[in-house]
Amino acid sequence: MAPGTRRYDPDRRQRIIDAAIRVVGERGIAGLSHRSAAAEADVPLGSTTYHFKTLDDLLVAALQQANEGFAQAVEGSAALADLDREPAPDGDGTPSADPGADLAGALARLLGELLGADRGRVELEYELYLAALRRPALRPVAAQWCEAFAAALAPRTDPVTARALVAVMDGIGLQVLLTDTAYDEAYAREVLARMLRPSS
C-alpha cells in the first residue's frame, strides 16, 4: 500500500461506536475520549477524529445505537406480544373487563424484562441517556427515545397517556438502578394501572 493511502475499511466507523459503548460501560462517560475509543477499537487515533469530529458526535452515535437496541427489545417483548395476541381472560374465561389492567400488567412485565435481561446494558443506556443533561447535542437523541417509546404505546391507549406511562416506567427503572434494589413488578403494575384507571 502506498504511503498515505487510506486502507478501505467500511466497518471501521461501526467498530469505533461499539468500542465507545464498551468504554462507557467499563469506565463511564468520563472515561471516553477519542484516544480511549481508538485504543479499544484498535484503530489509529486519526480514525476516530475522521469519523467523529467531536466527542459529542461519538456520544450521539453511541446513544442512537443504544436507542435502536432498546427499540428492538421492545418489539421483541414477550409481554407485549402476549397482550397483542389475545385479551387476558377473567376468571370465567371471558375477555377482561379492564383492558387498562391488562396493559399495566404487560408494561410491568416489559420493564422487568428490560431490567432483568442485561443489567449492565441498561445501566449503560441510562448513562448515555442522562449525559444529555450536560451535553445539549445529545438531547434530540434522548427525546427520540421517549417519543419512539410513547409512539409504540399510543395505539394501546392515547398519546398523552402513553407519554405519561413512559415517564413513570422511566422513573421506576431509574430508581431501581440508582438504589440497586430488586425490581418490584407488582408495585410497577399497580402504579401503571392507576394511571390507566378512568377518572371518576
Side-chain angles (χ1 to χ4, degrees):
M1 183 181 294
T5 301
R6 183 180 297 275
R7 183 167 66 88
Y8 179 64
D9 187 357
D11 298 326
R12 181 169 292 189
R13 183 179 187 276
Q14 183 59 53
R15 292 209 315 275
I16 293 170
I17 296 171
D18 293 340
I21 289 175
R22 290 195 299 273
V23 170
V24 174
E26 294 170 2
R27 310 177 209 171
I29 294 287
L32 181 64
S33 65
H34 281 96
R35 189 174 298 279
S36 64
E40 179 69 24
D42 193 22
V43 300
L45 176 59
S47 290
T48 59
T49 54
Y50 172 78
H51 289 288
F52 305 99
K53 300 300 182 187
T54 69
L55 191 58
D56 277 355
D57 291 339
L58 182 53
L59 283 168
V60 164
L63 182 54
Q64 286 174 331
Q65 182 160 308
N67 283 357
E68 292 167 5
F70 176 81
Q72 291 171 2
V74 171
E75 288 175 7
S77 164
L80 292 185
D82 289 344
L83 180 67
D84 291 338
R85 189 172 298 115
E86 58 183 353
D90 283 333
D92 60 0
T94 60
S96 172
D98 188 357
D102 296 341
L103 178 56
L107 293 179
R109 288 195 301 277
L110 168 61
L111 187 53
E113 290 174 2
L114 296 173
L115 291 170
D118 186 344
R119 184 76 165 242
R121 179 185 62 81
V122 177
E123 290 174 353
L124 165 66
E125 290 171 352
Y126 264 106
E127 182 158 9
L128 289 168
Y129 176 56
L130 294 174
L133 288 170
R134 296 290 184 182
R135 295 179 178 272
L138 295 179
R139 290 173 189 168
V141 187
Q144 287 171 10
W145 177 89
C146 297
E147 291 164 2
F149 194 11
L153 299 184
R156 299 173 171 89
T157 174
D158 64 80
V160 173
T161 304
R163 289 175 58 191
L165 291 170
V166 170
V168 169
M169 292 176 71
D170 201 15
I172 292 174
L174 188 56
Q175 283 185 348
V176 168
L177 296 174
L178 290 176
T179 59
D180 196 26
T181 54
Y183 172 63
D184 186 341
E185 183 177 316
Y187 165 76
R189 182 173 61 250
E190 174 60 25
V191 172
L192 292 165
R194 291 186 184 191
M195 295 195 62
L196 290 163
R197 201 167 291 151
S199 57
S200 55

